[in-house]
Amino acid sequence: MIAEVIVDIAHSDVDKIFDYACDDRLQAGTRVAVPFGRGAATGFVMRVKESSDVPPEKLKKIYRAEEEEPALNAECLCLAEKIKNRYRCPMALVLRLFLPAEMRTGRVGEASRSFARLAEGPFEISPRAKQQLSLVDFLRDNREADTAFLRNRFGGALKALIDKGIVLVERRRVFRDPYRGVAGEGTEHTLTPAQEGAVRTIESTDKTVALLHGVTGSGKTEVYLRLIAGQLEKGKTAIFLVPEISLTPQMLSQLRARFGSLAAILHSGLSAGERFDEWRRLREGSARIAIGARSAVFAPVENVGVIVIDEEHDGSYSSENAPRYNTFDIALLRANYNHCKLVLGSATPSVEAYKRAMDGEFELVRLPERINRRPLPEVELVDMRREVRRGNPSPFSVVLRERLRSCLDSGNQAILFLNRRGYSQTVLCRDCGYVAKCEHCDVALTYHSEENCLKCHYCGARYHMLEGCPSCGSVHIGYVGTGTQRVVGELKKLYPSARILRMDNDTTSGKEGHYKILKQFADRQADILVGTQMVAKGHDFPSVTLVGILDADMSLHFPDYRSGERTFQLVTQVAGRSGRAQERGEVVLQTYEPENSILRFAAKYDYEGFYEHEIAIRAGMFPPYAKIVRVMVVGEDEKEALAALREVFGKLEAVYAKQPEKFLFFNKMHSPIKRIKEKFRYQVLMRITDGAPLREIYAICSAASYKKTIVYVEENPSNLS
Ligand code: ADP
Ligand code: ZN
Ligand code: ZN
């Protein structure tokens, strides 16, 4: 037989099928060792066939198969083909997505342990061998035990008994259990009529994709779990994607309680071995629900019954490594392959998803109320310009201070949120709230300190740094933000007895640290949690009755067409942490721009209003009407990178020239950050419409090959730096 093999080398020169002779038991999807060039390589069998065009004397033989069961199933192979076609990257890179990294590098293997049990009696043991006697007793009581444990407890007696044939040892494979420490908690609720309606609609719609738009605390999780359980009953599997499961202990224990070992939870806190074992349990079918962040969309489950993407709007769903896939795209491919439903859930759907629901492509399902009709917390907009005028320089308005005081007095907890993103980049008039914007793009400009100028990250336009406010003439121009550290300092002065936790990228090393802080707060070891974006994620802290948003403006003018959307999402999500249990919650939203429409919609939880406003601004210019495509040319050798840019740009220009009407914008420029980690960065920026030759753009970029420069494509990148 002949195997068609892709070698596991991510280079366009070897990105093709190589034929090898193999024996007829070899199956497609198996990893194999093959002779390659003058050495050896690992490869993936894509197909097995009867004959080859390669003359028999030139045909090399496969060395060996790396595993008995193919690592990749039929669906993976089919999907890989489609992904490669879509993103035009080497097949090896695509196939790697489907395997745990640990498997490819061979650094972890299967774990196994030895177990001891008694042989069939009768046997004689000298009454003086006390240890041997007690070991035998122990095994009589326990049937079997781990040999390491027995050696520890009974010393040399174990070996003596094994030698006499009284104790038998068997080596067995075990799975490392990453959740030893997680107690399963959480009850299965009786669905509310609204939840039940949602489940029924999603199960019965003939549309593949359903968008579950439910306010914070409306019980979306219960809907997902019910959908998943329904599919498991039918013998199917499920994929449940969440942005940051390692940060939400409640979610972990809930899943553990509900599905036990049927769930494989893949998260960043796992060790390499644990991740590998979870993957294997899914591949073998002993686990049937894959839960995790975006990479879990590649989980090796078969016969998928439902795919859920929770917090669908979250930025973590687009990959920042090649291939730069979008999780939704992959999930949709899988849903189509398996003829199953894809459920997107959010309190603040992305404008793109909502538009597709409005256009009738997705089924729209709403949960407009919180569980038990608990009211959404009231949002109070506070004008910080007035505070400045009143001579209050502190990061807290008078209103917020009063609310904090009464929250603490009543023994409840508070969260204070600071928007660090975009902070100290955007230029703002401290007196009137004026924000410097680009003349051509209606996005805020970014201050570049090294050149002391303002730039537009969308069209590359440059502007002089402002000396005074063009709107009111004030000289109080600033890019001043307030760090979490300062906030904590001020809080300590104001509330000396309050216990305060701070959470941001500086205070916490890695996810572990975040988890610890959140756990402490959940256990009520602190009264106030001060933090940046991470405190906004889906936490459910029942005692939180006050949320303070200190600087709502800071993401409003982030230089990104999505800044309005991001702000709306953030405010809604953070506000949603308040008043989730019995007591009514409050939200204080501080801003220099209280008349801003995005903030006004957010304060009223008016998603539809926000959507109408936003879609009108974007019409004909930005996603979802147009796609932003950025071709990055990045290299440490400036000359080579520039030459590469010119060459790639030339080829792209030829594509552009054929159909200029499909391009709303097309130009080459420095990337906003010209150099990162010693590498020079150039880009060709495009805004394209439907039907633009995206595949040709990808093809040009993946064919580009330089010594020290890489070229890649980004679609609607979440970060344009
Ligand atoms: P969301 O994900 O929509 O923000 P959650 O799924 O976190 O909301 O649910 C909010 C709260 O309501 C949780 O504490 C959850 O345990 C509870 N809950 C969910 N469904 C029900 C139900 N049917 N009956 C009672 N409580 C429920
Ligand atoms: Zn001004
Ligand atoms: Zn511009």
Side-chain angles (χ1 to χ4, degrees):
M1 296 296 276
I2 308 294
E4 294 190 342
V5 171
I6 289 278
V7 291
D8 191 9
I9 300 169
H11 198 285
S12 51
D13 289 355
V14 295
D15 184 30
K16 55 185 163 229
I17 295 283
F18 294 95
D19 281 1
Y20 286 90
C22 66
D23 66 45
D24 46 357
R25 277 171 324 190
L26 191 68
Q27 297 174 54
T30 311
R31 284 184 319 138
V32 287
V34 292
F36 193 74
R38 256 173 273 154
T42 307
F44 301 95
V45 178
M46 301 304 287
R47 213 160 70 92
V48 179
K49 57 187 180 183
E50 298 281 336
S51 62
S52 168
D53 297 339
V54 181
E57 68 277 9
K58 286 209 175 150
L59 202 61
K60 290 182 190 159
K61 238 182 107 39
I62 277 172
Y63 286 142
R64 63 171 182 278
E66 298 283 13
E67 61 252 332
E68 277 171 30
E69 285 295 311
L72 303 168
N73 63 26
E75 185 188 354
C76 298
L77 293 174
C78 170
L79 232 54
E81 209 61 63
K82 296 200 166 116
I83 296 169
K84 178 185 164 57
N85 248 329
R86 169 78 170 74
Y87 298 103
R88 297 268 149 177
C89 63
M91 189 56 133
L93 273 187
V94 179
L95 294 173
R96 285 176 194 176
L97 294 169
F98 290 92
L99 298 174
E102 296 75 24
M103 187 164 183
R104 289 186 45 249
T105 54
R107 274 198 298 266
V108 228
E110 299 181 346
S112 62
R113 278 185 3 226
S114 299
F115 295 90
R117 63 186 161 83
L118 289 178
E120 298 285 321
F123 30 70
E124 270 172 47
I125 298 169
S126 148
R128 276 178 306 161
K130 293 257 164 51
Q131 286 287 38
Q132 293 185 24
L133 286 172
S134 28
L135 200 161
V136 167
D137 279 344
F138 184 85
L139 282 181
R140 269 204 191 101
D141 292 343
N142 291 283
R143 213 175 58 81
E144 73 170 15
D146 187 296
T147 51
F149 168 82
L150 294 175
R151 208 170 296 122
N152 226 332
R153 179 141 169 202
F154 302 101
L158 177 65
K159 183 164 186 311
L161 289 171
I162 293 172
D163 289 347
K164 285 187 215 159
I166 294 173
V167 166
L168 303 177
V169 171
E170 185 190 15
R171 208 165 170 79
R172 274 207 309 267
R173 232 178 55 186
V174 292
F175 290 98
R176 285 154 279 220
D177 180 1
Y179 316 107
R180 283 174 303 262
V182 181
E185 258 174 58
T187 41
E188 189 164 337
H189 300 289
T190 312
L191 294 188
T192 62
Q195 286 170 319
E196 210 163 296
V199 169
R200 221 175 316 116
T201 311
I202 293 169
E203 280 177 342
S204 62
T205 173
D206 51 9
K207 293 172 186 165
T208 303
V209 183
L211 174 62
L212 178 61
H213 177 208
V215 298
T216 56
S218 58
K220 294 186 287 298
T221 314
E222 195 63 44
V223 172
Y224 307 143
L225 298 186
R226 215 46 83 89
L227 289 166
I228 291 171
Q231 293 304 317
L232 293 183
E233 269 168 35
K234 291 191 197 156
K236 300 204 174 188
T237 63
I239 299 174
F240 184 13
L241 304 176
V242 277
E244 297 207 41
I245 189 146
S246 54
L247 291 187
T248 41
Q250 302 105 322
M251 182 79 112
L252 269 176
S253 60
Q254 205 175 349
L255 290 165
R256 187 76 172 146
R258 196 69 69 92
F259 300 114
S261 62
L262 272 185
I265 309 181
L266 307 155
H267 63 82
S268 54
L270 299 189
S271 73
E274 287 166 344
R275 213 173 2 241
F276 179 56
D277 283 359
E278 290 294 88
W279 183 87
R280 233 159 21 97
R281 293 201 307 120
L282 289 166
R283 179 74 187 92
E284 289 169 6
S286 63
R288 294 200 283 136
I289 316 163
I291 301 158
R294 65 165 181 260
S295 61
V297 76
F298 297 102
V301 282
E302 286 177 32
N303 196 9
V304 183
V306 65
I307 304 174
V308 175
I309 305 183
D310 187 23
E311 310 288 1
E312 159 279 329
H313 61 275
D314 197 275
S316 71
Y317 286 121
S318 24
S319 164
E320 285 171 359
N321 304 309
R324 291 174 164 71
Y325 65 87
N326 178 317
T327 306
F328 170 80
D329 293 344
I330 312 286
L332 187 58
L333 286 174
R334 292 200 77 167
N336 285 328
Y337 183 96
N338 289 282
H339 305 290
C340 74
K341 294 279 153 40
L342 168 56
V343 182
L344 310 177
S346 178
T348 52
S350 63
V351 169
E352 247 172 306
Y354 202 77
K355 177 162 190 302
R356 289 169 86 164
M358 286 288 132
D359 292 348
E361 186 186 348
F362 299 170
E363 183 74 40
L364 181 60
V365 183
R366 291 178 214 267
L367 291 175
E369 285 185 343
R370 279 189 164 181
I371 288 290
N372 297 333
R373 308 226 156 158
R374 256 167 229 142
L376 284 160
E378 188 130 345
V379 181
E380 202 166 338
L381 275 170
V382 175
D383 184 351
M384 290 305 277
R385 294 170 306 187
R386 286 238 308 267
E387 302 287 322
V388 173
R389 267 181 250 132
R390 278 191 197 163
N392 171 15
S394 110
F396 314 111
S397 58
V398 174
V399 174
L400 180 56
R401 270 188 263 172
E402 281 166 7
R403 298 283 187 279
L404 252 176
R405 164 74 59 211
S406 58
C407 171
L408 295 174
D409 286 348
S410 58
N412 288 319
Q413 290 179 298
I415 292 178
L416 296 184
F417 171 77
L418 261 110
N419 209 331
R420 265 284 276 280
R421 192 152 177 212
Y423 135 67
S424 89
Q425 291 197 23
T426 301
V427 179
L428 173 99
C429 170
R430 303 269 273 160
D431 284 317
C432 76
Y434 168 87
V435 170
K437 287 191 173 175
C438 177
E439 287 171 15
H440 314 292
C441 308
D442 197 38
V443 290
L445 297 171
T446 300
Y447 177 62
H448 285 246
S449 56
E450 73 272 34
E451 292 148 280
N452 193 35
C453 74
L454 303 173
K455 285 190 193 172
C456 170
H457 285 186
Y458 277 85
C459 67
R462 296 159 61 103
Y463 303 82
H464 285 296
M465 180 52 199
L466 300 176
E467 314 251 283
C469 173
S471 173
C472 75
S474 157
V475 291
H476 294 136
I477 297 290
Y479 13 81
V480 200
T482 310
T484 45
Q485 209 167 357
R486 175 164 167 230
V487 169
V488 171
E490 303 262 337
L491 277 175
K492 281 190 176 140
K493 275 187 249 160
L494 290 168
Y495 313 98
S497 60
R499 297 163 304 166
I500 303 164
L501 281 172
R502 173 179 151 218
M503 180 158 103
D504 58 28
N505 282 326
D506 309 330
T507 55
T508 44
S509 54
K511 299 253 150 83
E512 192 86 3
H514 296 161
Y515 184 91
K516 255 187 232 149
I517 293 177
L518 290 166
K519 185 94 179 44
Q520 273 176 298
F521 192 62
D523 292 344
R524 307 212 50 180
Q525 291 169 32
D527 308 302
I528 308 175
L529 174 64
V530 178
T532 51
Q533 264 69 344
M534 318 141 199
V535 303
K537 305 274 171 178
H539 313 295
D540 196 19
F541 302 119
S543 308
V544 171
T545 55
L546 175 66
V547 162
I549 303 172
L550 299 185
D551 49 357
D553 312 320
M554 285 306 161
S555 71
L556 211 44
H557 303 293
F558 195 74
D560 184 328
Y561 71 93
R562 266 179 298 211
S563 59
E565 180 175 353
R566 290 257 164 78
T567 305
F568 184 86
Q569 288 164 351
L570 262 173
V571 170
T572 311
Q573 298 287 346
V574 193
R577 299 315 111 211
S578 182
R580 291 173 72 89
Q582 274 65 37
E583 278 188 69
R584 174 117 212 206
E586 299 178 310
V587 178
V588 176
L589 194 160
Q590 302 188 156
T591 171
Y592 285 95
E593 213 179 320
E595 67 288 346
N596 179 282
S597 25
I598 299 276
L599 296 180
R600 297 209 155 248
F601 289 127
K604 284 183 291 180
Y605 301 100
D606 181 4
Y607 180 84
E608 280 75 20
F610 152 76
Y611 172 78
E612 294 299 333
H613 167 90
E614 190 64 26
I615 205 87
I617 292 177
R618 295 195 197 176
M621 293 233 321
F622 287 115
Y625 296 95
K627 185 171 264 175
I628 294 175
V629 174
R630 174 161 89 152
V631 170
M632 291 294 295
V633 180
V634 180
E636 57 195 88
D637 178 343
E638 189 170 17
K639 268 208 192 109
E640 192 198 62
L642 258 176
L645 175 71
R646 257 181 244 120
E647 193 173 1
V648 169
F649 183 73
K651 289 182 183 161
L652 291 171
E653 216 170 14
V655 171
Y656 163 75
K658 275 189 278 178
Q659 293 173 290
E661 73 283 0
K662 304 276 191 218
F663 292 77
L664 301 172
F665 183 86
F666 180 83
N667 212 346
K668 64 174 191 294
M669 63 195 75
H670 266 296
S671 294
I673 302 179
K674 289 184 194 164
R675 205 169 168 215
I676 293 180
K677 290 183 186 159
E678 309 292 319
K679 292 204 173 79
F680 293 92
R681 308 168 81 238
Y682 297 96
Q683 65 191 33
V684 181
L685 198 58
M686 298 165 245
R687 282 209 310 266
I688 63 174
T689 56
D690 260 359
L694 186 59
R695 300 228 297 179
E696 284 182 53
I697 296 171
Y698 270 106
I700 289 169
C701 297
S702 50
S705 169
Y706 303 93
K707 272 208 192 77
K708 291 177 171 175
T709 303
I710 57 163
V711 179
Y712 59 87
V713 186
E714 294 175 336
E715 289 176 48
N716 291 341
S718 51
N719 178 356
L720 270 177
S721 56

